[in-house]
Amino acid sequence: HNPPFVASSPTTLLGYLAGTTKNITLSTATTLITTNDPVKIAEDYAMLQVIADGRMDLMMGRGNTGPVYPWFGKDIRQGMNLAIENYALLRRLWEEEVVDWQGRFRTPLQGFTATPRPLDGVPPFVWHGSIRSPEIAEQAAYYGDGFFHNNIFWPMSHTKQMVNYYRQRFEHYGHGRADQAIVGLGGQVFMRQRSQAAWDEFRPYFDNAPVYGHGPSMEEFTTETPLTVGSPQQVIDRYAAMREHVGDYQRQLFLIDHA
């Protein structure tokens, strides 16, 4: 809902893409479960699921931009409580035909049916995105959903700890073995055919980037985080090796245009 992000209405954009494609799976990167009404999310994404003939999922997150909360009448200090309560209601709206509900953060519902219903009675697949909140990993595990660890600025030791916690809790709640839990990771790359050309071209952008510019050197940052600058083969080797730390995982997102 603020620059540099442009898709403040992702269902509109994804609905258009659903109508002009046949095979690709469509997904959000972060749908704010905190500042969006769960009733609106339930209806918007069920409609998108129908339009896309099931070729979609969505990723829930709390957002990393504080001012968004008051724009939509919410208190950022309640961010975690909003995420937990809103998602619990969203699940019920998708799974139950008629919902009676009362909570802390929105008006009660009496005999409410969200329309349209999920395609073939199966709700869209949901990922829960988090960087450092074990509560979100717990939430994903509790519902048997996917856990996406957006680790682009974090060392692998932290990523491994978060993913392992999610896997253990996924098994605890009876959704399958820990190694069957559904995991996604973030990534950040800059590629050229030759490694040195990639480093030479990207360095001035890195050195002045809004997030990490004028901080650690590019050498330090590429060692400590998933940022990989080099040839396509170097990128393949680096990311293929991540399964050695977190196990087999199902989704890899790349941040391409940062800096």
Side-chain angles (χ1 to χ4, degrees), residues 17 25 49 52 78 88 149 180 249 259:
L17 294 174
T25 299
Q49 186 192 33
Q78 295 294 332
H149 187 258
Q180 295 174 313
Y249 63 103

Side-chain angles (χ1 to χ4, degrees), residues 87-203:
Y87 186 64
L89 174 55
L90 175 61
R91 290 280 297 219
R92 289 192 60 193
L93 291 168
W94 275 338
E95 294 174 352
E96 301 175 25
E97 287 276 354
V98 180
V99 173
D100 294 316
W101 179 88
Q102 186 168 351
R104 292 175 56 193
F105 298 110
R106 75 174 316 282
T107 51
L109 299 172
Q110 293 184 338
F112 180 78
T113 298
T115 55
R117 304 303 299 153
L119 183 67
D120 299 327
V122 180
F125 185 78
V126 171
W127 296 84
H128 298 261
S130 180
I131 299 172
R132 56 186 176 273
S133 302
E135 296 93 336
I136 299 301
E138 177 79 16
Q139 184 182 44
Y142 177 79
Y143 290 103
D145 294 335
F147 177 62
F148 180 82
H149 187 258
N150 189 19
N151 58 324
I152 55 175
F153 299 131
W154 289 81
M156 184 52 72
S157 57
H158 173 77
T159 303
K160 180 177 179 179
Q161 183 179 10
M162 288 286 287
V163 171
N164 284 346
Y165 175 74
Y166 160 69
R167 290 189 184 279
Q168 292 165 9
R169 301 303 288 170
F170 182 94
E171 182 172 283
H172 168 79
Y173 287 115
H175 299 297
R177 301 190 312 271
D179 64 355
Q180 295 174 313
I182 307 153
V183 175
L185 296 182
Q188 193 176 4
V189 301
F190 186 86
M191 286 180 284
R192 287 293 180 260
Q193 187 172 355
R194 291 174 46 253
S195 177
Q196 191 58 53
W199 278 76
D200 293 343
E201 184 175 346
F202 189 63
R203 190 182 294 277

